[in-house]
């Protein structure tokens, strides 16, 4: 019989210094700190690549990688032939409420627009039927919208609605009143379920959101109920570089609304 194998854990001597971060990470950390502490504000121009090469004594390739990753993370905006600038902070939407996206955008002083792509009546797939407690193949409303902030897509909304609860859904003008706001105003709900996933968009979704398909998205899937009856199931896809989702709680677990 072969001897039982054993795992040896190598002890780390006390006071061992942590390894230094990679060179490009040092540049990223420096720029991020200047943005975080307010030294560089939204719209401020960053030092040029040449200046950063001289300042840090690193190669142009290293500096370029740092700037590229900061751009992909939405911290800076790079303009070819002009330079790099501090990007506007990503807006944050709460997970504790059904956010009114149009109001959030307008409160920031920005222009809001809803581009309605589809409003139709379709047969429920097995997944949709299960989510809305319906029979597979039963008729259900389907709406697809792109929400834009200052003409930049920030959310792709793919929604299914139970016609037994909201029979007038398909007759609405969602360019004037976005679907979630219409439902909140007209259908009292008593339960909400939120699930958030990190995903990559499909090619079609990336085109609608005007983003690269290799960049990640936040997918918020929401279901609501009214008196125990499912009202809607919606998938809201956000480019991670343009949007974030979060919540704030008290120590006792109760939410904080401001």
């Amino acid at each position: 019989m072969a001897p039982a194998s054993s795992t040896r854990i190598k002890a780390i001597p006390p006071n061992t210094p942590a390894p230094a971060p990679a060179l490009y990470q040092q540049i990223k950390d420096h720029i991020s700190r200047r943005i975080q502490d307010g030294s560089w504000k939204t719209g401020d121009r960053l030092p040029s690549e040449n200046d950063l090469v001289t300042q840090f004594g690193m190669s142009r390739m290293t500096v370029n990688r740092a700037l590229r990753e900061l751009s992909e993370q939405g911290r800076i905006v790079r303009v070819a032939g002009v330079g790099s600038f501090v990007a506007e902070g990503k807006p944050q939407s709460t997970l504790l409420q059904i956010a009114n996206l149009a109001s959030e955008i307008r409160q920031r002083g920005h222009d809001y627009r809803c581009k309605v792509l589809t409003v139709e009546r379709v047969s429920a797939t097995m997944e949709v039927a299960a989510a809305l407690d319906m029979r597979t193949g039963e008729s259900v409303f389907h709406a697809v919208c792109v929400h834009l902030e200052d003409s930049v897509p920030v959310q792709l909304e793919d929604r299914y609605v139970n016609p037994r609860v909201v029979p007038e859904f398909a007759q609405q003008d969602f360019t004037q009143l976005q679907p979630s706001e219409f439902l909140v105003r007209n259908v009292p709900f008593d339960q909400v379920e939120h699930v958030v996933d990190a995903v990559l968009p499909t090619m079609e979704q990336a085109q609608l959101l005007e983003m690269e398909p290799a960049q990640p998205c936040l997918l918020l899937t929401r279901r609501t109920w009214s008196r125990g009856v499912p009202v809607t199931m919606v998938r809201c896809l956000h480019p991670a570089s343009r949007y974030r989702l979060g919540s704030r709680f008290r120590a006792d677990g109760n939410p904080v609304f401001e």
Side-chain angles (χ1 to χ4, degrees), residues 47-121:
S48 68
E49 285 193 20
N50 287 336
D51 291 339
L52 291 171
V53 166
T54 301
Q55 179 179 349
F56 288 91
M58 297 178 187
S59 69
R60 178 179 292 274
M61 183 180 299
T62 299
V63 171
N64 186 271
R65 177 176 177 178
L67 295 176
R68 184 179 73 249
E69 292 195 4
L70 286 169
S71 176
E72 291 172 351
Q73 293 166 2
R75 301 300 302 272
I76 68 172
V77 176
R78 305 181 74 188
V79 181
V82 179
S84 299
F85 302 84
V86 178
E88 187 171 1
K90 291 188 289 184
Q92 175 170 306
S93 182
T94 180
L95 290 174
L96 301 174
Q97 300 169 296
I98 296 181
N100 186 324
L101 185 61
S103 294
E104 286 185 353
I105 290 173
R106 288 170 180 145
Q107 285 172 5
R108 291 193 285 272
H110 295 175
D111 178 64
Y112 166 79
R113 184 162 60 92
C114 179
K115 185 188 300 182
V116 181
L117 304 180
T118 300
V119 179
E120 59 186 348
R121 198 153 186 162

Side-chain angles (χ1 to χ4, degrees), residues 3-4 8 43-44 54 58 63 91-92 106 123 132 137-138 142 145-146 155 173 200 214 242 257:
R8 293 180 178 274
D44 283 355
T54 301
M58 297 178 187
V63 171
Q92 175 170 306
R106 288 170 180 145
S123 297
L132 295 179
E138 192 172 347
H142 178 222
C145 307
V146 177
Q155 182 189 99
D173 181 0
L200 290 176
R242 303 174 195 162
F257 297 111

Side-chain angles (χ1 to χ4, degrees), residues 58-257:
M58 297 178 187
S59 69
R60 178 179 292 274
M61 183 180 299
T62 299
V63 171
N64 186 271
R65 177 176 177 178
L67 295 176
R68 184 179 73 249
E69 292 195 4
L70 286 169
S71 176
E72 291 172 351
Q73 293 166 2
R75 301 300 302 272
I76 68 172
V77 176
R78 305 181 74 188
V79 181
V82 179
S84 299
F85 302 84
V86 178
E88 187 171 1
K90 291 188 289 184
Q92 175 170 306
S93 182
T94 180
L95 290 174
L96 301 174
Q97 300 169 296
I98 296 181
N100 186 324
L101 185 61
S103 294
E104 286 185 353
I105 290 173
R106 288 170 180 145
Q107 285 172 5
R108 291 193 285 272
H110 295 175
D111 178 64
Y112 166 79
R113 184 162 60 92
C114 179
K115 185 188 300 182
V116 181
L117 304 180
T118 300
V119 179
E120 59 186 348
R121 198 153 186 162
V122 299
S123 297
T125 64
M126 185 179 298
E127 179 187 11
V128 172
L132 295 179
D133 195 18
M134 304 171 69
R135 296 187 305 274
T136 301
E138 192 172 347
S139 179
V140 64
F141 291 126
H142 178 222
V144 180
C145 307
V146 177
H147 301 274
L148 302 98
E149 180 170 359
D150 286 343
S151 299
V152 177
V154 293
Q155 182 189 99
L156 174 61
E157 174 183 337
D158 188 2
R159 180 182 297 274
Y160 293 88
V161 177
N162 187 342
R164 296 196 301 266
V165 182
V166 200
E168 70 279 14
F169 180 81
Q171 281 72 54
Q172 307 310 307
D173 181 0
F174 294 123
T175 61
Q176 301 300 317
L177 189 67
Q178 61 167 317
S180 63
E181 186 176 0
F182 166 77
L183 291 170
V184 168
R185 288 187 182 186
N186 293 276
V187 185
F189 64 91
D190 46 37
Q191 293 183 56
V192 182
E193 174 189 80
H194 282 151
V195 178
V196 179
D197 295 293
V199 300
L200 290 176
T202 65
M203 289 296 296
E204 181 182 5
Q205 291 170 337
Q207 289 175 359
L208 292 172
L209 288 169
E210 300 176 13
M211 62 181 292
E212 294 296 324
Q215 294 186 0
C217 286
L218 295 175
L219 175 62
L220 169 63
T221 303
R222 175 191 299 130
R223 289 196 294 164
T224 61
W225 289 260
S226 179
R227 299 179 179 178
V229 179
V231 176
T232 185
M233 188 269 283
V234 60
R235 299 184 185 95
C236 299
L237 193 68
H238 307 83
S241 63
R242 303 174 195 162
Y243 217 73
R244 61 183 180 179
L245 300 164
S247 301
R248 179 180 171 187
F249 290 86
R250 296 189 195 339
D252 60 7
N254 292 318
V256 177
F257 297 111

